[in-house]
Amino acid sequence: MSAKDDSLGKQLIADFEARLISLLKRDAGMPEQSAREAAIKLIDDIQQEWGGVPLYFAKGHLNRLSRRDQDIYTRFSGSNFLELARQYRLTERQIRIIVAKGRLLERQRRQTDLFEAQQPQ
């Protein structure tokens, strides 16, 4: 590992810690000290499990929908693309993309992986 990679890793951990503390305080109403302790514990656990493994984080939310998109997908009735587009100030094409992604994710959740390693019996 180069010094640059190590520095980048430290920056990622520090950023993750700061964001997690902020999220725990804001969304879970945790006091600063409790949020900091929980963040550090989670980061330590992740480092123990994943430390030394080269990771790639894809941009975007490839495996989930945003809250807005979840709401759109839930409200989709099968033919109300235009209505949802107007309601959310999006194009009909954007609504169609969101619905397609929602369908794909739902299908992936429901189906098991045929090639997943089988446990010996």
Side-chain angles (χ1 to χ4, degrees):
M1 175 186 293
S2 71
K4 181 180 177 185
D5 290 341
D6 189 44
S7 175
L8 190 58
K10 288 177 183 178
Q11 288 174 359
L12 176 64
I13 295 296
D15 184 57
F16 184 64
E17 180 181 337
R19 288 172 187 259
L20 185 55
I21 290 168
S22 177
L23 178 96
L24 290 171
K25 287 171 38 183
R26 183 187 68 231
D27 293 355
M30 290 179 80
E32 171 85 27
Q33 187 60 33
S34 297
R36 184 171 304 285
E37 289 170 5
I40 290 169
K41 183 174 181 171
L42 177 60
I43 289 168
D44 286 346
D45 286 350
I46 290 171
Q47 285 179 310
Q48 286 296 316
E49 184 72 25
W50 293 97
V53 175
L55 298 173
Y56 168 78
F57 290 94
K59 286 191 172 189
H61 305 288
L62 300 177
N63 61 347
R64 66 183 173 93
L65 294 174
S66 68
R67 287 185 184 153
R68 180 203 67 186
D69 291 358
Q70 286 175 349
D71 191 39
I72 290 170
Y73 184 68
T74 302
R75 292 173 185 237
F76 178 65
S77 67
S79 61
N80 58 341
F81 292 107
L82 192 55
E83 177 186 330
L84 290 169
R86 287 182 184 144
Q87 183 178 354
Y88 288 92
R89 297 177 185 238
L90 298 170
T91 66
E92 185 176 342
R93 177 165 164 65
Q94 288 172 307
I95 297 295
R96 288 181 182 278
I97 290 169
I98 291 166
V99 169
K101 184 176 179 183
R103 286 178 175 156
L104 174 66
L105 292 172
E106 187 173 318
R107 190 176 325 116
Q108 288 173 345
R109 276 193 295 272
R110 290 181 181 182
Q111 292 180 347
T112 58
D113 185 355
L114 295 176
F115 301 105
E116 187 174 312
Q118 297 291 322
Q119 296 290 333
Q121 296 182 4

